[in-house]
Amino acid sequence: MMLDRSGSCAIVTMFVDDVCYTINVGDSRAIMSCAGGKYLVSLSYDHKPGQPSEQQRINEGGGKIYQ
């Protein structure tokens, strides 16, 4: 049996004064609760290889999609 070891995911969020910086790798999601939970702000979007824009980015970078 061969293990599939491809892929990665991580979210890093850093606040500097009143600015929020978010880095997203892989199919992770980050949301931020605002105004005491009255509304949410999406800080990331999914990076899934099935999405045309992500397929293009991977292929243009010399990568391959196996599954």
Side-chain angles (χ1 to χ4, degrees):
M1 180 176 174
M2 185 173 169
L3 295 176
D4 180 8
R5 296 178 184 216
S6 64
S8 59
C9 66
I11 293 270
V12 176
T13 302
M14 178 174 71
F15 289 90
V16 177
D17 298 322
D18 61 348
V19 178
C20 175
Y21 298 92
T22 302
I23 299 168
N24 177 22
V25 176
D27 62 350
S28 301
R29 291 184 188 144
I31 58 172
M32 179 171 59
S33 172
C34 300
K38 292 183 181 175
Y39 67 95
L40 302 175
V41 175
S42 180
L43 300 178
S44 64
Y45 66 93
D46 292 350
H47 293 98
K48 295 193 180 259
Q51 296 173 328
S53 62
E54 190 66 3
Q55 287 176 3
Q56 181 179 357
R57 186 192 68 78
I58 291 167
N59 292 329
E60 287 177 355
K64 296 186 191 238
I65 300 169
Y66 294 100
Q67 295 179 354

